[in-house]
Amino acid sequence: MMSKLWPYVTPGIPDELFERLPGIPLSKREIRLLLISQLRLQPNDVLWDIGAGTGTIAIEVGLLCPQGKIIAVERDEEVANLIRHNCERFEVKNVEVIEGSAPECLHHIQDTPQRVCIEGGRFVTEILQTVWKYLPSNGRVVATAANLESLYAVSQSFATLQARNVEVVQSAVNRLETRGFSTTFKAVDPIFILSGEKLD
């Protein structure tokens, strides 16, 4: 699928091309690339993107996998509308936005996921336990953790659920910025990306 706004087959849409709302998180481009690589997507996969925020992951995956389907879950109505607006900007047609709080709203989704992306959230343990019931064998979950508490919660959940092929990656990204008359590097906040598979 091609977009006039991003007419390339490679992921990595610049952050500034997405419409944003104050205080709503956006997965930075370099983090997005790491996260998408950990999803190990197949062309026809159904992806649940839980805590979709601005919709960056949903849109990147929608462009990469035009035969796939992305369910973007977001609890806030205004933010859900932002995702829809960004999908329109990038001409992405295979993203469905679900307004609701996870994990409760997940029981009403009709499409079974092969891949699940969990971008933070206070109830990450409960969300992981719920999505695990819907994942088929060889299904894969990728979750982000921005603090020690989230890292512990996801790690413990993977252990409890007996996830296989667990991987943990921590980002270390610096971007070139101009400040006054000098050009320096500014660090992007590091984040942990954890992935695991369900093998029956």
Side-chain angles (χ1 to χ4, degrees):
M1 182 184 294
M2 298 295 286
S3 163
K4 291 181 184 134
L5 200 55
W6 185 249
Y8 308 105
V9 295
T10 52
I13 299 170
D15 299 342
E16 59 269 17
L17 292 184
F18 292 96
E19 292 288 341
R20 302 182 66 178
L21 286 172
I24 302 305
L26 176 141
S27 297
K28 301 290 188 185
R29 176 176 56 185
E30 296 84 357
I31 308 302
R32 243 180 287 138
L33 292 169
L34 285 170
L35 199 155
I36 290 169
S37 73
Q38 290 296 321
L39 283 169
R40 298 182 186 170
L41 295 157
Q42 298 285 335
N44 299 313
D45 277 347
V46 173
L47 167 69
W48 288 3
D49 183 16
I50 301 169
T54 309
T56 56
I57 295 293
I59 288 164
E60 294 261 26
V61 172
L63 291 171
L64 276 173
C65 303
Q67 285 80 44
K69 183 169 184 179
I70 299 90
I71 308 293
V73 178
E74 181 52 57
R75 66 185 177 193
D76 185 275
E77 181 182 359
E78 189 177 11
V79 181
N81 287 331
L82 174 66
I83 298 169
R84 293 185 184 102
H85 177 67
N86 274 321
C87 286
E88 289 172 9
R89 281 174 54 80
F90 287 93
E91 305 167 74
V92 176
K93 308 293 186 191
N94 56 343
V95 174
E96 179 184 348
V97 181
I98 302 288
E99 290 178 35
S101 295
E104 293 80 16
C105 71
L106 304 178
H107 301 293
H108 306 293
I109 300 175
Q110 300 297 315
D111 299 283
T112 302
Q114 287 79 42
R115 300 291 184 264
V116 176
C117 174
I118 304 171
E119 299 185 72
R122 290 172 293 171
F123 306 108
V124 67
T125 299
E126 293 85 350
I127 292 169
L128 270 165
Q129 289 170 347
T130 301
V131 301
W132 210 254
K133 297 173 187 173
Y134 293 98
L135 272 182
S137 183
N138 296 317
R140 189 170 178 83
V141 173
V142 177
T144 61
N147 53 56
L148 185 61
E149 291 76 15
S150 296
L151 177 62
Y152 179 77
V154 175
S155 300
Q156 281 294 103
S157 297
F158 275 167
T160 301
L161 296 166
Q162 298 182 336
R164 298 291 182 259
N165 301 322
V166 173
E167 295 181 36
V168 182
V169 175
Q170 185 192 27
S171 65
V173 176
N174 293 282
R175 288 180 170 181
L176 201 61
E177 288 193 357
T178 301
R179 295 181 184 176
F181 297 104
S182 62
T183 306
T184 60
F185 284 95
K186 182 182 179 185
V188 173
D189 289 340
I191 196 164
F192 288 94
I193 300 171
L194 301 91
S195 56
E197 296 177 355
K198 180 179 180 180
L199 299 179
D200 291 333

